[in-house]
Amino acid sequence: VPQIGAKTLQFHPKSSALEHARMAIFNACGRTNFHLPTDKPWGMKVGDTKQGVLYVESVNSTGEAFKAGIRKGDYVFQVAKQLIHFEMNPTKFAKMVREIKVRSSSVPVIEFTIMRKRKN
């Protein structure tokens, strides 16, 4: 039983709705890890579903992401074990990836985790 006057969890309608939409998308997916180079461009563009999830909007067929197995429509879940939260947008994501690549320049690859829709 909570104490009288105890602080409660505060939910905001927008963030709560995005978290629920995000969970619904991810519940239909399976997780897959890839390794992308720290010293080369990945050759992909990320878009925003407006449902709390970023997705791979396009992949250059000669780029590192395509070679690794990332495909158009995959949902971005983690980069270097950092969860991509519902408030992330493509611009913030690109900045985050640049920063991670700089910090990780001493290692050849970064782990990139996607969620991919399961086939029925």
Side-chain angles (χ1 to χ4, degrees), residues 58-88:
S58 63
V59 185
N60 182 332
S61 63
T62 60
E64 297 299 320
F66 189 85
K67 289 177 192 174
I70 295 168
R71 298 295 180 258
K72 179 179 178 179
D74 288 341
Y75 297 110
V76 181
F77 187 67
Q78 289 179 330
V79 178
K81 302 211 184 278
Q82 291 184 34
L83 185 65
I84 306 304
H85 294 283
F86 69 88
E87 61 273 307
M88 184 70 71

Side-chain angles (χ1 to χ4, degrees), residues 49-116:
T49 63
K50 303 293 185 197
Q51 295 179 310
V53 180
L54 297 181
Y55 70 101
V56 178
E57 189 174 300
S58 63
V59 185
N60 182 332
S61 63
T62 60
E64 297 299 320
F66 189 85
K67 289 177 192 174
I70 295 168
R71 298 295 180 258
K72 179 179 178 179
D74 288 341
Y75 297 110
V76 181
F77 187 67
Q78 289 179 330
V79 178
K81 302 211 184 278
Q82 291 184 34
L83 185 65
I84 306 304
H85 294 283
F86 69 88
E87 61 273 307
M88 184 70 71
N89 63 42
T91 304
K92 289 180 184 177
F93 176 78
K95 182 180 180 203
M96 184 187 90
V97 167
R98 280 192 303 274
E99 291 170 357
I100 289 172
K101 282 180 159 187
V102 168
R103 279 196 318 265
S104 304
S105 62
S106 62
V107 296
V109 295
I110 296 171
E111 188 173 82
F112 188 85
T113 306
I114 59 103
M115 299 293 273
R116 185 173 285 163

